[in-house]
């Protein structure tokens, strides 16, 4: 029979599918003899059965949970939610993968009108006990009873204003008792029910809320955006509460065994005394640096340091440790593999090899490859003569820098991102509520929060320039402005932020590419010993080629030649060549363009000497280079000193009914061969001049939109003629290949392979033409293609 509930002592790290990531890790920590609060795990399978509304299995889960809870009660000498020494527990979700902060934890389950009295007597601290009860009633009602947080916030503000206080923790015991009664009235008013006093009912309803949250748009969206749709359910861990708000000798913290931003070895993190872990992780507070714990509680710091080394060695990765201190005793609540910035991910991997914790192959397998795309990032250009006006400081949230326009409303981010705007989002808290918006912004500035808050994980992973907990920042969302000290900034103002130093500058400050860290070069050298294929780059200009080479690219996999003509001086000549009806004038202008364009190609060959450079010749339809709106057409006519009617007429003549399927790519070589000829001539002349400089150019000319072997042969003949004309035929080792992006070409690759030197598949056009789907969807609207993908994957019923 299917089993759903396991005590920690019954699990292990090998049971991740049955227990989820958190449950299996806590079970292993229990086996290691670490000071973790005792508890149990409810399998992710229970969540799956819940989603199926399988009442039989849900009843079985409840029976197993009650049975295991009784074992826990006996071992601890406590009764769940009852008696003078009540057992109070937390429930925390934990799927097979990390989903930080997406589903809320619920703590202090089991507190009610009777058990709070027992907790007050046991702790000898009535204020602590009643405040814990108040917090539980509020959190439970929001998560499990679906009451809007504003209802409770209004009640909180009312009593704080009446007492002239700023914080609920400043209230007296009688005020807290009264506030709890106000909460009960809110619950009854908006649900028609009473707050549940039965601990078991509290437990079942909390589990329901976690399972419902798993199906929420927020959680589903997170899984879609992170390619985790194959994860079907979440596990739940139940643990005895550690009361980090018991007194001033209690507290909570988050520790990393190495710096998650830089990879530097040594404990890094935050802590606060007399605070809950959930408040610390929420991003609504500004905690103290972990190294201050060494001064406050040296024995606790030393113990944490020792345990962190054991955890890192056991799990062979940088650890992110959640801990709590209750009355001077350290408890580890959880430890997981840390989510690091790309730079730190590489550095720590190499360091763990040098420290004999990992082998080279284990290091390569450990590093999360998609993270490496964020390794190249921007830094402030600190030139001596550069004027920068510093207007604010905070905590470093990443090592990147960025320039952009200020936005206060995260709802506007998607619209502005579509327009190509560089956005810096300002927010009061460092919150996971900003998750979707953070995937679209260049920078992030907050009034509160820390580098260890849940939302900071995304900031680190994507190298989003960020300044957190800017102490002088005051945000006025209604007026869409903020104040940093004496400086007032309005929405749309441009600023530059230096994430590495937590600095905010007025206006746009020049940025430069970050240098390649030596550990990355070491990693590539190790990878070369195991690789079975080459990795090439997509690059459309010399700057991108230089950057790709620095990061280990072994050639250019795709260079879109049309991107090179967007430079104003080139674009002007190309437009003149397109607009003129005179073939002689067109050839003359294109010849001038050859002399300019060859220099870019020569730079490519110089940077990639001895490595293949695949250059896709002019692909878009010609009308796309000519503006279609009246204002731009008039401006172009003035620039070229020609009648605007010539531009309007040529644009109309060249316009395509369906640009994706019209006169573009290799078809231009048939109708307008001079455009292909000038591109190929630029490549061959650049290659010949490069040879004279001692460079070994390996140009690979790629023909887009090929539909048949016959068409390829026609265009290849044009290229061969230019090779003979320029003298490249016998002096340059070049290839001519086909880009397969039309279904007919894909079905006849056997014929194309006989005449082409290489074949490359273009997924964008091929996907659109085959499935009628846009291959590149909006990042925040994955549902646009989800239905079609579902239809493709769904099996027919038999």
């Amino acid at each position: 029979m299917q089993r759903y509930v396991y005590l920690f002592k019954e699990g292990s790290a090998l049971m991740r599918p049955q227990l989820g990531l958190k449950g299996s890790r806590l079970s292993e920590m229990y086996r290691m003899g670490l000071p973790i609060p005792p508890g149990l795990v409810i399998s992710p399978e229970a969540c799956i059965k819940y989603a199926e509304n399988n009442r039989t299995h849900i009843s079985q889960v409840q029976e197993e949970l009650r049975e295991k809870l009784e074992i826990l009660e006996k071992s601890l000498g406590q009764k769940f939610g009852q008696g003078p020494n009540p057992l109070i527990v937390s429930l925390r979700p934990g799927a097979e993968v990390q989903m930080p902060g997406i589903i809320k934890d619920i703590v202090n389950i089991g507190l009610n009108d009777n058990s709070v009295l027992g907790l007050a007597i046991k702790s000898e601290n009535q204020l602590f006990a009643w405040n814990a009860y108040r917090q539980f009633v509020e959190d439970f009602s929001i998560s499990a009873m679906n009451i809007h947080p504003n209802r409770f916030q209004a009640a909180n503000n009312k009593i704080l204003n009446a007492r002239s206080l700023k914080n609920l923790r400043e209230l007296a015991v009688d005020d807290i008792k009264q506030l709890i009664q106000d909460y009960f009235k809110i619950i009854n008013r908006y649900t028609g029910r009473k707050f549940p006093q039965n601990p078991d009912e509290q437990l079942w309803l909390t589990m329901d809320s976690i399972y419902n949250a798993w199906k929420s748009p927020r959680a589903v969206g997170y899984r879609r955006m992170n390619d985790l749709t194959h994860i079907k359910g979440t596990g739940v861990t139940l643990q005895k509460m550690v009361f980090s708000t018991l007194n001033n000798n209690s507290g909570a913290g988050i520790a990393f065994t190495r710096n998650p931003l830089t990879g530097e070895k040594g404990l890094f993190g935050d802590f606060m005394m007399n605070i809950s872990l959930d408040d610390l992780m929420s991003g609504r507070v500004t905690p103290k640096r972990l190294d201050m714990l060494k001064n406050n509680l040296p024995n606790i710091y030393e113990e944490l340091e020792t345990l962190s080394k054991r955890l890192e060695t056991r799990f062979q990765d940088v650890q992110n440790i959640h801990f709590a201190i209750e009355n001077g005793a350290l408890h580890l609540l959880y430890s997981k593999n840390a989510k690091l910035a790309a730079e730190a991910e590489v550095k720590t991997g190499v360091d763990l090899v040098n420290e004999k914790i990992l082998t080279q192959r284990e290091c390569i397998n450990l590093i999360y490859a998609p993270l490496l795309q964020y390794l190249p990032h921007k830094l402030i250009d600190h030139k001596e003569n550069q004027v920068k006006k510093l207007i604010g400081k905070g905590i470093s949230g990443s090592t990147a820098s960025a320039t952009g326009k200020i936005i206060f409303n995260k709802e506007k981010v998607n619209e502005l991102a579509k327009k190509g705007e560089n956005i810096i989002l300002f927010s009061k808290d460092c919150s996971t509520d900003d998750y979707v918006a953070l995937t679209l912004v260049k920078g992030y500035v907050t009034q509160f929060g820390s580098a260890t808050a849940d939302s900071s994980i995304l900031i680190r992973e994507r190298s989003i320039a960020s300044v957190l907990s800017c102490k002088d920042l005051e945000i006025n969302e209604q007026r869409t402005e903020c104040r940093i000290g004496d400086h007032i900034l309005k929405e749309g103002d441009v600023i530059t932020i230096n994430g590495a130093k937590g600095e905010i500058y007025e206006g746009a400050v020049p940025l430069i590419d970050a240098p390649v860290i030596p550990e990355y070069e070491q990693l590539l050298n190790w990878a070369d010993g195991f690789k079975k294929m080459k990795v090439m780059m997509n690059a459309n200009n010399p700057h991108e080629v230089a950057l790709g080479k620095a990061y280990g690219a072994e050639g250019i996999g795709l260079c879109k030649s049309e991107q090179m003509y967007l430079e104003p001086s080139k674009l002007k000549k190309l437009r003149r060549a397109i607009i003129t009806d005179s073939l002689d004038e067109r050839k003359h202008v294109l010849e001038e363009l050859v002399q300019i364009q060859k220099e870019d190609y020569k730079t490519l060959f110089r940077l990639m000497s001895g490595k293949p450079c695949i250059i896709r010749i002019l692909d878009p339809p010609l009308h796309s280079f000519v503006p279609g709106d009246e204002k731009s057409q008039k401006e172009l006519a003035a620039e070229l000193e020609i009648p605007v009617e010539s531009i309007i007429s040529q644009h109309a003549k060249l316009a395509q009914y369906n640009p994706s399927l019209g006169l573009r790519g290799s078809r231009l070589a048939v109708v307008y061969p001079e455009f292909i000829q000038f591109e190929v001539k630029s490549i061959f002349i650049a290659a010949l001049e490069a040879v004279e400089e001692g460079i070994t150019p390996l140009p690979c000319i790629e023909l887009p939109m090929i539909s048949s072997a016959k068409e390829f042969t026609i265009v290849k003949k044009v290229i061969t003629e230019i090779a003979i004309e320029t003298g490249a035929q016998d002096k340059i080792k070049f290839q001519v290949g086909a880009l397969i992006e039309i279904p007919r070409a894909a079905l006849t690759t056997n014929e194309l392979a006989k005449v082409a030197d290489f074949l490359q598949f273009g997924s964008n056009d091929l996907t659109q033409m085959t499935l009628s789907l846009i291959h590149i969807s909006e990042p925040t609207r994955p549902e646009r293609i989800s239905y079609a993908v579902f239809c493709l994957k769904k099996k027919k019923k038999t």
Side-chain angles (χ1 to χ4, degrees), residues 76 82 94 109 221 419 468 480 491 502 514 651 688 713 731 796:
L76 295 170
Q82 301 176 45
I109 302 167
K419 297 178 181 178
L468 310 176
T480 60
E491 190 163 275
H651 184 275
L688 289 166
T713 303
K731 296 180 182 179
K796 292 181 179 179

Side-chain angles (χ1 to χ4, degrees), residues 411-662:
E411 304 300 330
K412 294 182 180 180
V413 168
N414 187 35
E415 177 186 347
L416 292 171
K418 285 181 184 177
K419 297 178 181 178
E421 298 274 12
N422 289 336
I423 303 161
I424 295 181
L425 178 65
F426 273 58
S427 180
K428 287 189 176 181
D429 305 326
C430 183
S431 170
T432 52
D433 291 340
D434 296 333
Y435 182 84
V436 173
L438 285 176
T439 63
L440 302 172
V441 302
K442 294 294 183 182
Y444 189 47
V445 178
T446 70
Q447 189 171 344
F448 303 104
S450 72
T452 58
D454 279 334
S455 61
S456 66
I457 291 175
L458 179 69
I459 294 169
R460 285 197 301 273
E461 284 192 314
R462 293 181 176 247
S463 288
I464 299 169
S466 54
V467 176
L468 310 176
S469 189
C470 182
K471 60 182 179 181
D472 295 327
L473 174 64
E474 296 177 12
I475 296 175
N476 188 327
E477 293 179 349
Q478 290 183 333
R479 298 181 62 177
T480 60
E481 66 179 30
C482 69
R483 179 187 291 274
I484 305 179
D486 296 331
H487 300 275
I488 294 178
L489 299 172
K490 298 184 179 295
E491 190 163 275
D493 286 352
V494 174
I495 62 168
T496 300
I497 57 179
N498 181 349
K501 294 187 177 181
E503 297 172 336
I504 304 172
Y505 294 98
E506 187 177 64
V509 176
L511 305 176
I512 58 174
D513 293 318
V516 180
I517 59 174
E519 288 84 1
Y520 183 72
E521 294 178 351
Q522 179 65 75
L523 180 68
L524 291 181
N525 289 336
W526 290 342
D528 285 342
F530 300 106
K531 71 175 184 181
K532 294 183 179 179
M533 61 182 290
K534 288 184 178 181
V535 177
M536 300 166 76
M537 74 179 100
N538 281 12
N540 300 317
N541 57 59
H543 171 76
E544 293 177 354
V545 173
L547 188 61
K549 182 183 178 183
Y551 281 95
E554 298 176 272
I556 300 175
L558 178 61
C559 173
K560 302 174 183 178
S561 66
E562 69 271 9
Q563 296 291 322
M564 293 184 171
Y565 305 121
L566 300 181
E567 182 185 320
S569 61
K570 296 180 185 178
L571 184 58
K572 180 179 179 180
K573 290 185 180 296
L574 182 60
R575 283 173 164 175
R576 185 181 290 279
I578 293 171
I579 291 168
T580 182
D581 284 324
S582 168
L583 182 58
D584 290 338
E585 183 184 359
R586 180 178 298 147
K587 288 183 177 180
H588 176 73
V589 174
L590 292 176
E591 186 61 36
E592 291 178 351
L593 201 50
V594 167
Q595 301 308 314
I596 300 174
Q597 185 58 29
K598 70 171 185 177
E599 296 302 323
D600 274 354
Y601 285 133
K602 199 193 305 185
T603 304
L604 261 60
F605 297 144
R606 185 181 297 114
L607 291 167
M608 289 283 107
S609 181
K611 293 181 171 63
C613 300
I614 299 178
I615 302 168
R616 188 188 72 183
I617 59 175
L618 207 60
D619 181 47
L622 292 179
H623 83 277
S624 64
F625 293 98
V626 181
D629 64 286
E630 184 179 350
K631 181 183 176 183
S632 299
Q633 287 176 339
K634 288 181 178 179
E635 290 173 352
L636 180 58
E639 182 183 11
L640 299 181
E641 298 179 346
I642 61 175
V644 69
E645 290 76 16
S646 299
I647 297 174
I648 296 172
S649 172
Q650 193 70 341
H651 184 275
K653 185 164 69 173
L654 294 172
Q656 303 289 303
Y657 181 76
N658 188 334
S660 296
L661 303 177

